[in-house]
Amino acid sequence: MMTTTAQKAQANDVVGQIIYALRAMGVAPIPRNYQLFYEAYIGSNTSLTQQLAALGSSATQEELDAISSQYLGTGQVEVIERAHGKLLVELENLLRLLRREQQSMESYTKLLGETATRINSKANFSNDIIRNAIALLTSATTDTMAHGERTADTVAEHSVEMDQVRKELDEYKRIANTDSLTRLSNRRAFDDKLASIFDSTGNLKVTALVLADIDNFKNINDNFGHPVGDKILATVASVIRANVRKDLFVARTGGEEFAVIVEGNTADEVMLICERVRCALETRSFRNSRSGVQYGPITISLGYSMAAQAENPNQLYANADAALYHAKHNGRNRTVFFDEVMRRDYAAKNWLIYRN
């Protein structure tokens, strides 16, 4: 898909801000540090962002690696390096094997040519020469076939090894694209999925982006603490996942915000999906089984837009966000479908509404 000017500008802005933050804190711009600052930038984990900010301009690489290990998981870099090393070894072995096979075939071809020359020579007409030539060809052909079979077996072995490396890399990608708290897809995976919607224009009329935000979530953290807030986030995620089709893409896009990409449904059908999720959460009890403390009711506001209402991924996100804003602004705990008239209010919206 061609990248639009707006997409490039947004991507460059994100990269620029992360690079600026790395420089401001005197942090080496290496891949694992960039990943850490990216996660902090998108706000997918409030505690991670707070711990990183607390380091100030005196952060050591050991401290950064400790935060990465805590929030991004251990061994991710090692997995990539190990898989990369395995892949290089297998490819080198395979190339070496193919070079030997090439040399073997070249020798066999040369032998065929020399034998044919001897047989065709008018000076060589004895039965012994022909008999010897046939014996030589038979032996060479048998050896070449055996060598080819061994090569085929060895190639198969290397293919199995490389397939295992591919599976390791696929597993790493799955882990890297999964939010550790909710087990949903994370913002990185969401950005990729959102961009892919416009790879083809054939299904835009039956594709929708739904954004959902937990109502008054700041009050939950303030009143009960972040550990309770994290449990509620995980529960909300499970409720959303349980009340949509298994084939729908569901992600935690940051903080208390979630996204669902619905494919194959009309706008009216998407409304029914949203309402099913909203009602399931509204009626769920959020209670500490030991102390009896009630954390709820917990509700969410949802806004959605059909992909056909947008020209690119950025506009689709803005449309759904505008609808979400109207859901918040008009009382929360409701689903709103995007309409063009919402653009004006969205442009001047009060972002603090999300914090209440």
Side-chain angles (χ1 to χ4, degrees):
M1 181 185 72
M2 292 296 291
T3 303
T4 65
T5 302
Q7 286 174 295
K8 288 181 178 178
Q10 184 184 52
N12 290 337
D13 183 57
V14 172
V15 171
Q17 292 191 49
I18 293 175
I19 295 298
Y20 176 80
L22 289 169
R23 289 176 177 172
M25 294 182 65
V27 173
I30 56 179
R32 67 177 185 271
N33 289 342
Y34 182 89
Q35 181 188 11
L36 180 62
F37 275 70
Y38 175 84
E39 295 294 341
Y41 176 82
I42 65 174
S44 60
N45 190 305
T46 305
S47 298
L48 183 156
T49 304
Q50 291 174 345
Q51 285 196 32
L52 191 59
L55 294 179
S57 59
S58 59
T60 65
Q61 190 60 54
E62 289 75 12
E63 291 172 327
L64 295 171
D65 288 343
I67 295 178
S68 295
S69 175
Q70 180 179 355
Y71 292 102
L72 305 183
T74 59
Q76 292 189 9
V77 174
E78 289 80 358
V79 168
I80 288 292
E81 291 178 348
R82 184 172 64 251
H84 182 257
K86 281 185 178 179
L87 198 58
L88 283 179
V89 169
E90 295 304 325
L91 286 175
E92 288 174 357
N93 290 337
L94 191 57
L95 287 173
R96 191 179 301 113
L97 187 66
L98 293 176
R99 281 194 293 267
R100 287 201 302 267
E101 182 68 9
Q102 181 184 14
Q103 292 170 356
S104 175
M105 291 305 298
E106 288 174 351
S107 298
Y108 182 62
T109 301
K110 182 179 179 181
L111 177 61
L112 288 178
E114 292 175 349
T115 304
T117 300
R118 291 180 184 177
I119 293 175
N120 291 329
S121 174
K122 293 181 180 179
N124 298 325
F125 53 85
S126 72
N127 289 334
D128 289 339
I129 291 177
I130 296 177
R131 190 182 302 110
N132 291 337
I134 292 174
L136 181 63
L137 286 177
T138 301
S139 176
T141 302
T142 302
D143 291 343
T144 300
M145 291 178 62
H147 179 77
E149 290 176 357
R150 290 194 299 272
T151 299
D153 290 341
T154 307
V155 168
E157 291 175 4
H158 288 301
S159 297
V160 171
E161 290 293 334
M162 286 190 287
D163 187 58
Q164 182 60 37
V165 172
R166 179 191 60 77
K167 290 178 180 178
E168 289 183 15
L169 290 174
D170 287 345
E171 177 63 12
Y172 168 78
K173 182 179 180 181
R174 185 192 66 78
I175 294 172
N177 286 341
T178 301
D179 177 63
S180 59
L181 176 63
T182 63
R183 312 313 301 167
L184 298 177
S185 296
N186 60 16
R187 183 58 184 255
R188 181 188 294 105
F190 169 72
D191 288 342
D192 290 342
K193 181 66 174 179
L194 181 65
S196 72
I197 289 176
F198 289 83
D199 286 348
S200 172
T201 59
N203 296 320
L204 297 185
K205 291 184 178 180
V206 289
T207 300
L209 170 63
V210 180
L211 295 181
D213 191 271
I214 302 176
D215 297 324
N216 303 308
F217 188 70
K218 184 176 183 298
N219 292 342
I220 295 171
N221 281 332
D222 290 345
N223 294 332
F224 303 109
H226 286 281
V228 171
D230 286 349
K231 290 181 180 179
I232 288 175
L233 281 170
T235 302
V236 170
S238 67
V239 171
I240 295 175
R241 180 74 274 179
N243 284 278
V244 300
R245 295 197 318 267
K246 291 183 178 180
D247 63 310
L248 298 189
F249 179 89
V250 185
R252 180 189 176 202
T253 54
E256 62 271 23
E257 187 175 282
F258 301 86
V260 182
I261 294 178
V262 183
E263 297 176 286
N265 293 95
T266 65
D268 290 340
E269 291 168 343
V270 175
M271 173 64 78
L272 294 177
I273 293 172
C274 292
E275 283 297 284
R276 183 166 63 246
V277 171
R278 187 189 64 79
C279 292
L281 192 60
E282 180 184 41
T283 57
R284 186 183 181 92
S285 175
F286 286 83
R287 176 177 173 273
N288 187 311
S289 58
R290 293 183 179 179
S291 65
V293 173
Q294 289 283 352
Y295 302 130
I298 304 297
T299 62
I300 57 172
S301 299
L302 304 99
Y304 74 96
S305 171
M306 303 305 293
Q309 294 175 288
E311 296 181 357
N312 54 57
N314 291 334
Q315 189 176 66
L316 176 57
Y317 188 90
N319 289 351
D321 201 34
L324 174 59
Y325 168 75
H326 274 261
K328 291 282 190 180
H329 187 70
N330 291 295
R332 302 181 179 86
N333 190 26
R334 64 193 63 221
T335 302
V336 171
F337 176 45
F338 173 76
D339 187 277
E340 292 293 333
V341 298
M342 297 178 182
R343 291 188 190 278
R344 182 187 60 229
D345 295 336
Y346 177 72
K349 74 177 184 178
N350 176 13
W351 291 90
L352 291 177
I353 197 169
Y354 287 103
R355 300 180 180 275
N356 299 313

